Amino acid sequence: MSIRTQMFYAREGIVTPEIQRVAEKEGFDTEFVRREVAEGTLIIPANVNHLSRGLNAMGIGRNIHCKVNVNFGTSPVTKDLQHELRKLEVSLKFGADTVMDLSTGGNLTKIRKEVIDHSPIPVGTVPIYEMIERVSDLSYLTESDILDVIEQQAKQGVDYMTIHAGLLKEFIPLAQKRITKIVSRGGGLIAHWITETGKQNPFYTSFDKICEIFKKYDVSFSLGDGLRPGCINDASDEAQLAELRVLGELTLRAWKNDVQVMIEGPGHIPVQQIAYNMKIEERLCHGAPFYVLGPLVTDIAAGYDHTASAIGAAIAGTFGAAMLCYITPKEHLGLPDEEDVKQGLIAYKIAAHAADVARELPNSKEWDNEMSRARFAFEWNKQYSLSIDPETAQNYHDITLPGEYFESAEFCSMCGPKFCPMAAMKKIDGMTLNKKQNLKEATIH
Amino acid sequence: MSIRTQMFYAREGIVTPEIQRVAEKEGFDTEFVRREVAEGTLIIPANVNHLSRGLNAMGIGRNIHCKVNVNFGTSPVTKDLQHELRKLEVSLKFGADTVMDLSTGGNLTKIRKEVIDHSPIPVGTVPIYEMIERVSDLSYLTESDILDVIEQQAKQGVDYMTIHAGLLKEFIPLAQKRITKIVSRGGGLIAHWITETGKQNPFYTSFDKICEIFKKYDVSFSLGDGLRPGCINDASDEAQLAELRVLGELTLRAWKNDVQVMIEGPGHIPVQQIAYNMKIEERLCHGAPFYVLGPLVTDIAAGYDHTASAIGAAIAGTFGAAMLCYITPKEHLGLPDEEDVKQGLIAYKIAAHAADVARELPNSKEWDNEMSRARFAFEWNKQYSLSIDPETAQNYHDITLPGEYFESAEFCSMCGPKFCPMAAMKKIDGMTLNKKQNLKEATIH
């Protein structure tokens, strides 16, 4: 078996086509990207069996542009494949950087195959969802089931997998002190397995065997935070940090195998604790990219959790989070539909871009400035096309001022022609110019 | 003429009923609130002629809960009074702390009277909008027009007025260097007046006379930032800071008259500059409460500017902003309707609450914790009622799982019954309990 991960090549000093591609996209030179991949601070989740089927390589790292992941997938309650493929389409249309197929209902293998076939961006999964479909009772799950499912998904072309290997038996009592205990689906299943069997977390004990599979296909770890806080009260607590420390150890073990790693993070964190959470992850996990879910900065925003978490996501991105897992308006209430996917994704694209601007990354602020120049010039069509969702921007404008005439008008319905400050400033510029002109003429005569 | 502002009484050591009311609402003692009002770090915008007509006093200050303002008002393009009153209703329903009537179309005096009559929360205005209705050409506006309109609005019961007195003649060339120059409506009008007449800003030269009117009715200053940046490129620049310095001087002049002051702030600020902006205002304006518009953290989110600015607003609130002026999804595109008002306001209520939680203010995190306990208990109806918008929360839940049965189900459509981690943790708790029970029984036998 040959080792053929991006990390392996990068450490050998080889610039793969994928490293090249990421450097181009990010506006950095290839040597910088190669070094980052070699050091583990940047991953290129690119399963060789997805690369050969049209994956367009991208990078996730703490020193490059902040990325956004979209979760979708069937549930036992709603399980229509076409519906999920439409969510993938929406994800691609609005610029998702990766997607996770979190299906738990219907024919999981078939759904996954279709998603990978249709996705030019990396696809992640949480393989424990399929594992428990194989057994009549969760506690019957064995190491061989675990490795079988992982191998099968790796072979299918999954680019990264969430593996909750850091939730140790010893930490369950820590979680029981919390208001919402465990809120990670995978974490809950593993805690249940541990409690029923009395044994250690099987993903922890099988970790090196999982590495063996991952390096054969270049699957990246997304080390899952089964103990992520489920409310701001539980944030940054003993349970969360105990698990994070183990994820740091596992990072080193994966790296020993040349397997790429990112770390999953919370969840729910109040604003004043976000910077701390980004720093502690960097330190405990040796600089591995941090992939955070939100975080939500308050628990009271049900129905608007995409907004409440976009706040946390922008701050997390500013302080170094490499990828933001989106949250939809339906979070805590139900399974998202296509419109929810769109709303969640757009909120997160805004958050990620705000973080890129704050970190002064290449080709970030330029977009804003182009928009601002179009605004001052009253180039409405250019403003729409530069907007994060051109169709919506134009619709909102045209509700009150429809028609060709208003697409070049020097005002909008907010201020009207008499009150528009930018139009006023244009006149002032003109007046200043005229005065200069007069002065020049006066000098000549 | 007797001086009868809240600041006057507070400085005399008198606890007014309004100071008492604010202390109750905020969860602080009256002496703390009185001292804050006396020092100018907390204002109670309460025009005596609005107080007598049912104003419920509230406070805006850097050491109390973060507040949210809603702007509405007619424009020359859409000018229906009933429409604006419905926006007021929506504002009250979703918890706006103050409203500003920014009408520029229709019968302004009548609209303002109706808004004040229907509003138990403070009403602010930007009186220059009415002033320019009185003159055929902006440059004809005189000091007497200015004072007349201000006196008339003060008499009507307006609680605070935006006065752009800091935009000096000398600063206009600084604004001309910018991409979007001036984007404040009032600022644009004044810059135009200055350029046409060649004179100094009339609000600056008449400032003491305005103070005389304000103290008669206890109108608070909202010192306007006519030079606020209109895009992130222009943020924190020379023009903005030059004006802010003047607002600091004017604050001291107002305080000499026992007139309450808050300072208006931007606008558009990238994430990494927000904390700096909050600090520099505190220093230059002697601790007067900062009332910021957004700020937007990126310019590319047209159609979603309520989200892009809620990010900035939450950070601003965390670093000391006293009130957040909301931004709707229609910003930069058109006049907001009722649904836009709702969406903007809710995004800002989330931002303000997130800031309160971050600053660990009284009665803030408790709301989150109550929600989190309801989540773990699967008390769906309680979750809805604790949500920022109960109706939407319940609708989102009921789309996939309608009916009485699911309102007490221990799962939702996101995970379904088999995958719900909180349900799993309840079982684990049960198992632990059973083991303890067995142990106890074993000991007895």
Side-chain angles (χ1 to χ4, degrees):
Chain A
M1 186 202 80
S2 61
I3 298 173
R4 43 181 183 175
T5 70
Q6 296 291 333
M7 189 179 218
F8 168 78
Y9 291 121
R11 284 171 164 184
E12 293 287 309
I14 296 166
V15 172
T16 63
E18 292 71 39
I19 289 174
Q20 182 86 44
R21 182 85 192 93
V22 169
E24 278 162 23
K25 282 181 174 177
E26 298 286 338
F28 288 107
D29 65 41
T30 50
E31 177 50 25
F32 170 81
V33 174
R34 187 203 59 76
R35 203 175 53 240
E36 292 272 314
V37 174
E39 287 171 1
T41 48
L42 191 168
I43 70 169
I44 301 177
N47 186 312
V48 292
N49 288 343
H50 192 192
L51 263 184
S52 62
R53 278 146 70 205
L55 173 67
N56 186 344
M58 55 74 73
I60 302 166
R62 57 175 59 251
N63 299 314
I64 57 174
H65 292 84
C66 191
K67 303 304 187 296
V68 175
N69 172 71
V70 163
N71 287 340
F72 53 72
T74 57
S75 89
V77 179
T78 52
K79 41 190 168 188
D80 174 18
L81 168 64
Q82 290 314 315
H83 197 180
E84 300 313 309
L85 289 179
R86 284 198 300 274
K87 290 183 196 168
L88 172 61
E89 238 173 75
V90 170
S91 305
L92 296 173
K93 176 174 176 186
F94 291 101
D97 296 292
T98 77
V99 289
M100 291 191 79
D101 171 14
L102 303 186
S103 292
T104 56
N107 183 337
L108 302 186
T109 307
K110 186 172 175 225
I111 295 169
R112 194 180 316 113
K113 185 187 174 303
E114 293 286 329
V115 169
I116 294 169
D117 281 345
H118 287 84
S119 178
I121 60 178
V123 175
T125 60
V126 184
I128 194 171
Y129 299 163
E130 186 176 0
M131 293 168 194
I132 71 160
E133 291 294 314
R134 295 201 166 192
V135 289
S136 59
D137 185 290
L138 175 62
S139 58
Y140 300 158
L141 189 74
T142 64
E143 181 181 79
S144 123
D145 296 323
I146 289 173
L147 297 177
D148 271 4
V149 169
I150 289 176
E151 173 104 34
Q152 188 213 323
Q153 294 199 7
K155 212 167 174 179
Q156 264 194 316
V158 172
D159 301 290
Y160 63 91
M161 294 186 203
T162 297
I163 302 292
H164 299 93
L167 194 175
L168 300 191
K169 190 179 169 183
E170 297 74 13
F171 304 155
I172 295 175
L174 301 178
Q176 281 172 316
K177 295 178 193 173
R178 295 166 151 187
I179 292 182
T180 53
K181 323 254 179 195
I182 291 179
V183 297
S184 149
R185 284 200 289 207
L189 294 168
I190 289 167
H192 200 185
W193 188 93
I194 290 173
T195 312
E196 292 227 342
T197 64
K199 294 191 205 157
Q200 187 53 285
N201 181 339
F203 293 88
Y204 181 77
T205 53
S206 309
F207 192 76
D208 292 317
K209 290 180 187 159
I210 299 172
C211 286
E212 288 301 319
I213 301 171
F214 276 21
K215 70 180 170 188
K216 256 192 338 198
Y217 302 92
D218 200 2
V219 178
S220 299
F221 275 108
S222 186
L223 288 177
D225 54 337
L227 294 178
R228 68 166 174 269
C231 61
I232 58 169
N233 183 74
D234 298 344
S236 318
D237 76 342
E238 226 185 328
Q240 181 193 324
L241 295 180
E243 182 183 43
L244 190 64
R245 236 170 265 122
V246 178
L247 299 186
E249 291 166 29
L250 295 172
T251 298
L252 296 181
R253 273 164 72 182
W255 286 352
K256 213 176 273 179
N257 286 284
D258 296 317
V259 172
Q260 305 185 94
V261 175
M262 61 181 167
I263 308 293
E264 290 185 14
H268 297 240
I269 317 178
V271 171
Q272 82 280 15
Q273 292 178 18
I274 296 176
Y276 163 78
N277 270 269
M278 299 306 113
K279 268 181 213 159
I280 194 85
E281 183 276 340
E282 181 173 13
R283 191 163 67 74
L284 293 180
C285 298
H286 318 285
F290 205 16
Y291 166 31
V292 295
L293 174 57
L296 284 155
V297 294
T298 173
D299 303 313
I300 55 89
Y304 300 83
D305 276 338
H306 60 316
T307 304
S309 63
I311 293 169
I315 302 172
T318 298
F319 287 98
M323 186 154 76
L324 311 170
C325 183
Y326 91 149
I327 287 175
T328 79
K330 291 268 173 62
E331 185 75 17
H332 297 112
L333 296 167
L335 202 71
D337 62 20
E338 288 150 65
E339 179 61 22
D340 298 318
V341 169
K342 176 184 164 183
Q343 293 300 326
L345 175 52
I346 286 176
Y348 273 68
K349 290 294 286 185
I350 293 169
H353 179 69
D356 288 345
V357 167
R359 293 167 61 219
E360 300 181 357
L361 288 175
N363 310 322
S364 297
K365 198 184 163 181
E366 290 73 9
W367 181 9
D368 297 78
N369 289 356
E370 213 181 330
M371 172 66 105
S372 303
R373 280 187 286 265
R375 281 200 171 128
F376 193 74
F378 294 100
E379 292 171 349
W380 291 99
N381 285 313
K382 195 166 179 193
Q383 288 178 56
Y384 309 145
S385 70
L386 286 168
S387 295
I388 201 144
D389 175 7
E391 214 172 303
T392 298
Q394 175 150 17
N395 285 346
Y396 281 1
H397 175 270
D398 292 358
I399 287 170
T400 46
L401 297 179
E404 197 58 40
Y405 168 72
F406 292 110
E407 302 302 353
S408 58
E410 296 215 335
F411 61 88
C412 75
S413 67
M414 195 150 186
C415 300
K418 197 169 169 185
F419 287 86
C420 178
M422 294 199 301
M425 284 307 283
K426 286 195 152 186
K427 277 186 214 141
I428 290 175
D429 260 4
M431 286 160 67
T432 316
L433 276 176
N434 287 341
K435 271 180 204 153
K436 277 189 195 145
Q437 193 62 30
N438 292 341
L439 199 67
K440 209 177 154 190
E441 282 165 11
T443 317
I444 291 169
H445 295 292
Chain B
M1 188 203 76
S2 62
I3 298 173
R4 41 182 184 175
T5 69
Q6 295 290 332
M7 188 177 220
F8 168 78
Y9 291 122
R11 285 171 162 183
E12 293 287 310
I14 297 166
V15 172
T16 63
E18 292 71 40
I19 289 175
Q20 182 85 48
R21 182 84 191 92
V22 170
E24 279 162 21
K25 282 182 174 178
E26 298 286 338
F28 287 107
D29 65 43
T30 52
E31 178 48 25
F32 171 81
V33 175
R34 186 203 60 74
R35 203 175 53 238
E36 292 271 315
V37 173
E39 288 171 1
T41 48
L42 192 168
I43 69 169
I44 302 177
N47 185 312
V48 291
N49 288 344
H50 192 191
L51 264 185
S52 61
R53 278 146 71 205
L55 173 68
N56 186 344
M58 55 75 72
I60 302 166
R62 59 174 59 252
N63 299 314
I64 57 175
H65 293 82
C66 192
K67 304 303 187 298
V68 175
N69 172 71
V70 163
N71 286 341
F72 53 72
T74 58
S75 88
V77 180
T78 51
K79 42 190 169 190
D80 174 19
L81 168 65
Q82 291 314 315
H83 196 181
E84 299 313 308
L85 289 179
R86 284 198 300 273
K87 290 183 196 168
L88 171 61
E89 238 172 75
V90 170
S91 305
L92 295 173
K93 177 174 174 186
F94 290 101
D97 296 292
T98 77
V99 289
M100 290 191 81
D101 171 14
L102 303 187
S103 292
T104 57
N107 183 337
L108 302 186
T109 307
K110 189 177 172 218
I111 295 169
R112 194 181 314 114
K113 184 186 174 304
E114 292 287 328
V115 169
I116 294 169
D117 282 345
H118 287 84
S119 177
I121 60 178
V123 175
T125 60
V126 184
I128 194 172
Y129 299 164
E130 187 178 359
M131 292 168 195
I132 71 157
E133 291 293 313
R134 294 201 169 193
V135 288
S136 59
D137 184 288
L138 174 63
S139 59
Y140 300 159
L141 189 74
T142 64
E143 182 181 80
S144 125
D145 296 323
I146 290 173
L147 298 177
D148 271 4
V149 169
I150 289 176
E151 174 104 35
Q152 188 215 322
Q153 293 200 7
K155 212 167 173 177
Q156 264 194 317
V158 171
D159 300 292
Y160 63 91
M161 294 186 204
T162 297
I163 303 291
H164 298 93
L167 194 176
L168 300 190
K169 191 179 167 181
E170 297 74 13
F171 304 156
I172 295 176
L174 301 177
Q176 281 172 318
K177 295 179 194 172
R178 296 166 151 185
I179 293 183
T180 53
K181 323 257 178 190
I182 292 179
V183 298
S184 149
R185 284 201 289 209
L189 295 169
I190 289 167
H192 200 185
W193 187 93
I194 291 172
T195 311
E196 292 227 342
T197 64
K199 294 188 204 158
Q200 187 52 285
N201 181 339
F203 293 88
Y204 181 76
T205 53
S206 309
F207 192 77
D208 290 319
K209 289 178 186 160
I210 299 172
C211 286
E212 288 302 318
I213 301 170
F214 276 21
K215 70 182 172 187
K216 260 194 337 202
Y217 302 92
D218 200 1
V219 178
S220 298
F221 274 108
S222 185
L223 287 177
D225 55 338
L227 294 178
R228 69 167 174 268
C231 62
I232 58 168
N233 182 74
D234 299 344
S236 318
D237 75 342
E238 226 185 326
Q240 182 194 326
L241 295 179
E243 182 183 43
L244 190 64
R245 238 171 262 122
V246 178
L247 299 186
E249 291 165 28
L250 295 171
T251 299
L252 296 181
R253 273 164 73 183
W255 286 353
K256 213 176 271 179
N257 287 283
D258 296 317
V259 172
Q260 305 185 96
V261 175
M262 63 183 165
I263 308 292
E264 290 186 13
H268 296 241
I269 318 178
V271 171
Q272 84 280 16
Q273 293 178 18
I274 297 176
Y276 163 78
N277 269 269
M278 300 305 114
K279 269 181 211 157
I280 194 85
E281 183 275 341
E282 180 172 16
R283 191 163 67 77
L284 294 180
C285 298
H286 318 286
F290 205 15
Y291 166 30
V292 295
L293 174 58
L296 284 155
V297 294
T298 173
D299 303 313
I300 53 89
Y304 301 83
D305 276 338
H306 60 315
T307 304
S309 63
I311 293 169
I315 301 171
T318 298
F319 286 98
M323 185 154 77
L324 310 170
C325 183
Y326 90 148
I327 287 175
T328 78
K330 292 267 174 64
E331 185 75 16
H332 298 113
L333 297 167
L335 201 72
D337 62 20
E338 289 150 66
E339 180 59 22
D340 298 318
V341 169
K342 177 183 162 183
Q343 292 300 325
L345 176 52
I346 287 175
Y348 273 68
K349 290 294 287 185
I350 292 168
H353 179 69
D356 288 346
V357 167
R359 294 165 61 219
E360 301 182 356
L361 288 175
N363 309 320
S364 296
K365 199 184 160 180
E366 291 73 8
W367 181 8
D368 297 77
N369 289 355
E370 214 181 329
M371 172 66 103
S372 304
R373 280 186 286 266
R375 280 200 172 128
F376 193 76
F378 294 99
E379 292 170 348
W380 291 99
N381 286 314
K382 193 165 179 194
Q383 288 179 54
Y384 310 145
S385 70
L386 285 168
S387 295
I388 201 145
D389 174 8
E391 215 173 300
T392 298
Q394 175 150 16
N395 286 345
Y396 280 1
H397 175 270
D398 292 358
I399 287 170
T400 44
L401 296 179
E404 195 59 40
Y405 167 71
F406 292 112
E407 302 302 353
S408 58
E410 297 215 335
F411 60 89
C412 75
S413 66
M414 195 148 185
C415 300
K418 196 168 169 185
F419 287 87
C420 179
M422 294 200 299
M425 283 307 283
K426 286 195 151 183
K427 277 184 214 139
I428 290 174
D429 260 6
M431 285 160 64
T432 317
L433 275 174
N434 287 341
K435 271 179 204 153
K436 277 190 196 141
Q437 192 64 29
N438 292 341
L439 199 68
K440 206 176 156 195
E441 280 165 10
T443 317
I444 290 167
H445 294 291

